[in-house]
Amino acid sequence: MNGKVRLGEFLQTRRSQLQPEDLGIPGYGERRRVPGLRREELASLAGVSVSYYTRLEQGQSLNASPQVLDAIARALRLEEAERLHLHDLARSSATGSGRGRRPAPERVTEATGQLLEALVHVPAIVTGRRSDVLAWNRLGHALFAGHLDPAAPDRPAERPNMARLVFLDAHTRDLYADWPTKARAVVGNLRLVAGRHPDDTALHSLVGELSAKSADFASMWADHRVTACAVATYEMRHPLVGPLTVTQQTLSQGPDHDQHHGQGQNIVVATTKADSPARTTLALLAQVSPQHDPARPGIRTGSG
């Protein structure tokens, strides 16, 4: 799918999700043929001509200025992450897609490996751009994927993928008491990455696979919601130690990281409140989870 189509689909979908009455647009009790705002209503709110907005939505206007995009973002009531995503899509639409290629396997940097190794008492995993698990420490494996081979991240072709696990793995689905919230966060993050990396063929393959295998994913992907979820609290139901509430924090890493477009690796950690039942439960998990590597019991890192 080229950038023009992605931009048009995003604008059309988000326009359809706005209700006229929520924006103070009189409806006079009329029956609308399609949900949401009409193009002329959105154009009026954004302060652009109907013909210009129509061309933009149809992929025929390729040089929308940042000011116009921001005006459309305000009219669509986009959040900050969604506004930046709109700019990414417009940039991709204007420049055109380059030749798609499958990037080389991602590696865990030495510094990131040292940090992961230091987090002995905190579940932590390192994920790549497409949510592949590049490494995890012992507690990270035990909490998020104790049913999988602990050495799997060491083999690039067999690395677990957190998006696949959330949508296609029964163990992971049961792990989250509020699975839909977790699932929407995963989809929203993939949307952000897809906007920043329109030529990533591996990412497009992942999205295609999940869309074909999971009706839930296909529905959420079509919703065009975008999420930059750095911190979220989840109630987890672990099969070995029972329920616990954790705060999952995503820490962006990598040389090409900046405040808007962290494109490198992420460290996902799960923390618990001091003196909470969850802290006790996590300590119990540390006791019952097996040691993976006698030489380096705290960490498994991908070597690909």
Side-chain angles (χ1 to χ4, degrees):
M1 183 183 295
N2 63 41
K4 299 175 185 178
V5 175
R6 285 192 294 266
L7 175 61
E9 282 191 353
F10 178 76
L11 291 172
Q12 190 171 19
T13 301
R14 298 313 300 270
R15 177 169 59 83
S16 72
Q17 294 166 348
L18 289 176
Q19 299 305 314
E21 54 269 23
D22 295 337
L23 301 177
I25 298 175
Y28 305 110
E30 71 206 67
R31 191 183 193 94
R32 293 184 171 231
R33 291 179 298 173
V34 294
L37 295 185
R38 298 187 176 106
R39 282 175 176 162
E40 57 266 26
E41 292 168 338
L42 195 284
S44 177
L45 289 171
V48 299
S49 69
V50 178
S51 60
Y52 178 84
Y53 177 78
T54 300
R55 291 196 303 273
L56 189 64
E57 199 171 275
Q58 293 177 344
Q60 298 172 359
S61 180
L62 304 180
N63 295 302
S65 69
Q67 294 78 13
V68 167
L69 293 174
D70 285 342
I72 291 174
R74 287 191 295 270
L76 289 171
R77 294 191 170 184
L78 301 183
E79 296 180 355
E80 179 63 10
E82 296 170 322
R83 184 187 71 82
L84 293 171
H85 181 63
L86 175 60
H87 281 262
D88 285 334
L89 293 178
R91 190 178 306 111
S92 173
S93 175
T95 59
S97 295
R99 188 171 184 177
R101 58 187 179 88
R102 186 170 292 271
E106 295 171 280
R107 297 173 179 268
V108 175
T109 65
E110 182 178 355
T112 298
Q114 291 174 1
L115 177 58
L116 189 64
E117 192 170 27
L119 297 173
V120 177
H121 304 295
V122 179
I125 62 175
V126 180
T127 59
R129 178 194 298 174
R130 305 164 210 91
S131 75
D132 292 323
V133 178
L134 309 182
W136 47 30
N137 63 9
R138 184 168 64 90
L139 263 182
H141 169 257
L143 179 64
F144 293 107
H147 62 305
L148 300 181
D149 179 0
D154 293 336
R155 302 184 292 270
E158 301 175 30
R159 283 172 174 165
N161 179 277
M162 293 308 297
R164 282 195 189 94
L165 291 176
V166 167
F167 281 95
L168 305 180
D169 181 74
H171 173 97
T172 306
R173 190 173 187 128
D174 290 341
L175 197 58
Y176 291 91
D178 184 2
W179 178 85
T181 294
K182 177 62 177 179
R184 282 192 291 270
V186 169
V187 173
N189 180 68
L190 281 180
R191 272 280 176 205
L192 278 176
V193 177
R196 295 166 187 164
H197 302 279
D199 301 324
D200 189 330
T201 57
L203 178 60
H204 294 318
S205 295
L206 174 64
V207 170
E209 175 193 348
L210 293 175
S211 297
K213 294 181 178 179
S214 170
D216 290 320
F217 181 89
S219 175
M220 293 180 188
W221 186 257
D223 199 39
H224 282 267
R225 294 291 177 180
V226 175
T227 308
C229 191
V231 181
T233 299
Y234 295 105
E235 177 70 32
M236 303 186 79
R237 302 175 297 194
H238 198 277
L240 290 181
V241 294
L244 71 162
T245 301
V246 303
T247 298
Q248 292 185 19
Q249 300 182 58
T250 301
L251 313 175
S252 295
Q253 300 288 311
D256 52 352
H257 168 69
D258 62 48
Q259 65 178 7
H260 295 316
H261 292 75
Q263 299 170 356
Q265 299 165 6
N266 295 315
I267 299 180
V268 181
V269 297
T271 58
T272 55
K273 292 183 178 180
D275 301 320
S276 66
R279 178 69 62 88
T280 303
T281 301
L282 199 58
L284 176 60
L285 181 62
Q287 293 176 6
V288 301
S289 60
Q291 297 285 336
H292 296 157
D293 186 341
R296 301 180 69 198
I299 183 173
R300 296 294 310 197
T301 62
S303 57

